[in-house]
Amino acid sequence: MATGFSEYLSDVQSNLNLDVREEREVIRELLAHLEDRSHELVANGLSETEATKNCLDMLGSARKLAREIYQSHSRANWRQTLLAASPHFIFGAVFALNWWQHVLGMFSLLLLVLAAVVCGWYRFKPKWLYSWSSYSLLPVIGVSLLLLWLPQGLAWIAWPVYISFTIWLINYLANRSRSRDWLYVSLMLLPVPTIIAWMLVVQPGSAAPDYAFSKFGSFAPWVGLTFMAFAVGAAFFMRARRRWLKGSVLVVSGLLSLTMVIIYARGGLGLTAIIGLNVLMLALFLAPALIDRRAKQS
Amino acid sequence: MTGKKEWPQGSIEPLLLTMVFDRAMYGYQIIHELETRSDGYFKIKEGTLYPVLHRLEGEGYIVGEWKSLDNGRQRKYYHITRKGRAYLAVKRAEWRQLLAAVTMLTRIPLLDME
């Protein structure tokens, strides 16, 4: 392969943001095209250098080509869109209709989610997998709930360990998902700040479990509504073609859900908590991008 | 797409579907065939071709398949699907209507415009 082609194709590949298999296929097709065109030009009397330059001029800017090819691939079909929105919709319905109190049902639902995630993760990592993966993080968030009941002395040790583990887990997931656009990892992490916000509103550590349980019951329909907002956000995300639009959908639906929590909590969240949750949301949105960038640079 | 004259927007997709209607073709071949069969009227910019082909593939109008040429090189051949044929039929009907309307208009002497 001519050096000019190699540099150009590597520039295209680094801007494609598709999954690895799709990227390889696109590059293979473009290389075949460049070779065909180059052979024809050389046969017509051009030098190798002139032919290479002419070929690359005909394809135009590598970044523009990569962006347009990305947009051709980025819109999920309706089946994938429905599958991506469905976990948020299911959890939304569970809370909105107050079915969350059926322990067996909730346990079965979590098992279903875990089965879907494991199945998807080890097979093709389909686009819809990432919104299902959000709910496989529920046990991690659940542990933080248990930590609230720890005696004061133990909490000082447990919380740093827990936070370190959570950061490691996010880093691990982002690295494992590097074959896919980092925006999908952000989609996966999107509900985390809202779930934490609801937990802070209920404040289970400050009261008896029965009280927290009944307090949560009064908020459950609103919790359901925030999950429904995620369902709509996930559907828009899957159908959007442009990257900036996908990113904007994530930020807007994250902020919208947090705003809904703040409104429904009616003063249940302090200013520090509100600022902290917004910072956490932005950090979770941007962390996969930074991890991806660092990995590409290295 | 570059041509001698303006061409209605959104016509590139049906044109590409027309090219792969009878037989499967790969990208470079499509560019050549389109230019040859339109007597040089339609020239697709190479950077435009692949995003459109991939979009058509994503919509399920065409399917790409890697095949080996006689010289051993591999090329991605695209062929039209049933969904693509149905879409093309609709587009062709629109073209015929447009052509009929333009023909009717150009037959009328435009006296008041002269």
Side-chain angles (χ1 to χ4, degrees):
Chain A
M1 187 188 348
T3 319
F5 290 167
S6 167
E7 282 171 11
Y8 180 87
L9 293 176
S10 137
D11 199 6
V12 172
Q13 189 165 11
S14 60
N15 288 286
L16 271 177
N17 293 304
L18 300 174
D19 78 48
V20 174
R21 190 181 51 81
E22 284 176 324
E23 280 185 4
R24 278 193 200 132
E25 192 152 313
V26 168
I27 297 303
R28 191 173 157 203
E29 188 177 25
L30 291 177
L31 176 62
H33 178 96
L34 287 167
E35 283 176 351
D36 282 340
R37 168 64 79 187
S38 175
H39 283 135
E40 186 189 299
L41 292 173
V42 169
N44 287 341
L46 260 68
S47 70
E48 288 267 356
T49 318
E50 286 170 329
T52 303
K53 188 181 176 306
N54 189 300
C55 288
L56 298 180
D57 286 348
M58 293 297 281
L59 275 180
S61 152
R63 284 180 179 222
K64 184 168 179 269
L65 180 61
R67 191 173 61 239
E68 286 180 1
I69 292 178
Y70 172 84
Q71 286 171 16
S72 308
H73 287 253
S74 62
R75 176 178 278 181
N77 58 35
W78 284 110
R79 187 179 142 272
Q80 287 175 325
T81 304
L82 195 67
L83 278 168
S86 55
H88 300 303
F89 185 78
I90 292 169
F91 275 92
V94 160
F95 287 109
L97 301 170
N98 257 324
W99 290 343
W100 61 278
Q101 296 174 44
H102 300 279
V103 178
L104 194 64
M106 285 299 283
F107 185 70
S108 310
L109 184 59
L110 278 173
L111 273 183
L112 170 77
V113 169
L114 282 175
V117 169
V118 170
C119 186
W121 198 266
Y122 287 100
R123 291 195 71 189
F124 310 109
K125 282 190 195 157
K127 289 174 178 172
W128 53 261
L129 170 71
Y130 293 84
S131 47
W132 284 80
S133 301
S134 306
Y135 295 95
S136 66
L137 294 172
L138 274 177
V140 181
I141 299 166
V143 169
S144 68
L145 191 75
L146 292 175
L147 288 180
L148 293 171
W149 276 298
L150 278 178
Q152 199 66 24
L154 273 177
W156 281 107
I157 305 164
W159 274 106
V161 173
Y162 174 77
I163 290 167
S164 308
F165 170 74
T166 309
I167 291 169
W168 172 83
L169 185 70
I170 290 167
N171 192 44
Y172 173 78
L173 290 171
N175 275 313
R176 283 296 304 267
S177 311
R178 274 197 56 229
S179 59
R180 171 82 66 193
D181 187 357
W182 62 263
L183 279 171
Y184 284 87
V185 185
S186 300
L187 172 71
M188 177 175 76
L189 299 173
L190 182 70
V192 172
T194 305
I195 295 171
I196 294 173
W198 278 122
M199 283 167 48
L200 289 174
V201 170
V202 178
Q203 287 182 316
S206 63
D210 284 351
Y211 173 74
F213 203 69
S214 68
K215 193 176 177 186
F216 186 74
S218 67
F219 282 116
W222 306 117
V223 176
L225 209 58
T226 48
F227 285 125
M228 292 292 185
F230 286 134
V232 174
F236 271 108
F237 175 88
M238 297 297 277
R239 291 296 293 170
R241 280 195 193 279
R242 294 170 196 275
R243 282 177 66 71
W244 67 265
L245 192 56
K246 282 183 188 284
S248 307
V249 165
L250 290 183
V251 173
V252 168
S253 54
L255 288 174
L256 184 71
S257 310
L258 276 181
T259 310
M260 284 161 83
V261 179
I262 294 162
I263 292 169
Y264 301 140
R266 292 188 203 100
L269 284 174
L271 185 64
T272 318
I274 291 170
I275 293 169
L277 285 165
N278 278 293
V279 170
L280 177 69
M281 200 214 77
L282 286 176
L284 289 177
F285 171 69
L286 292 173
L290 295 172
I291 292 166
D292 184 65
R293 192 174 173 185
R294 196 186 60 192
K296 275 180 180 167
Q297 281 172 347
S298 65
Chain B
M1 179 169 46
T2 58
K4 288 170 188 170
K5 288 163 192 165
E6 290 274 330
W7 192 253
Q9 272 197 334
S11 59
I12 190 163
E13 287 88 354
L15 276 176
L16 294 185
L17 289 175
T18 304
M19 298 314 297
V20 295
F21 189 83
D22 296 324
R23 65 187 170 110
M25 284 190 203
Y26 56 94
Y28 190 68
Q29 194 180 13
I30 291 172
I31 290 175
H32 268 267
E33 282 280 319
L34 187 59
E35 203 175 327
T36 308
R37 281 163 63 175
S38 68
D39 198 18
Y41 192 97
F42 294 119
K43 289 176 184 171
I44 299 177
K45 281 181 190 165
E46 295 177 19
T48 307
L49 175 72
Y50 290 99
V52 179
L53 282 176
H54 286 229
R55 193 163 65 238
L56 288 171
E57 194 181 14
E59 299 283 350
Y61 295 148
I62 55 173
V63 171
E65 197 180 349
W66 286 92
K67 285 183 189 171
S68 293
L69 301 176
D70 294 339
N71 57 16
R73 286 186 191 147
Q74 292 212 315
R75 295 293 176 265
K76 192 176 179 184
Y77 280 81
Y78 292 95
H79 62 85
I80 197 165
T81 61
R82 187 178 291 182
K83 190 180 174 188
R85 283 175 190 271
Y87 173 76
L88 185 58
V90 172
K91 287 290 161 188
R92 277 181 172 170
E94 284 175 15
W95 281 355
R96 282 197 199 98
Q97 284 175 349
L98 176 73
L99 193 62
V102 172
T103 308
M104 277 167 63
L105 280 174
T106 49
R107 275 180 193 157
I108 300 165
L110 302 171
L111 295 173
D112 55 341
M113 289 180 70
E114 285 168 0

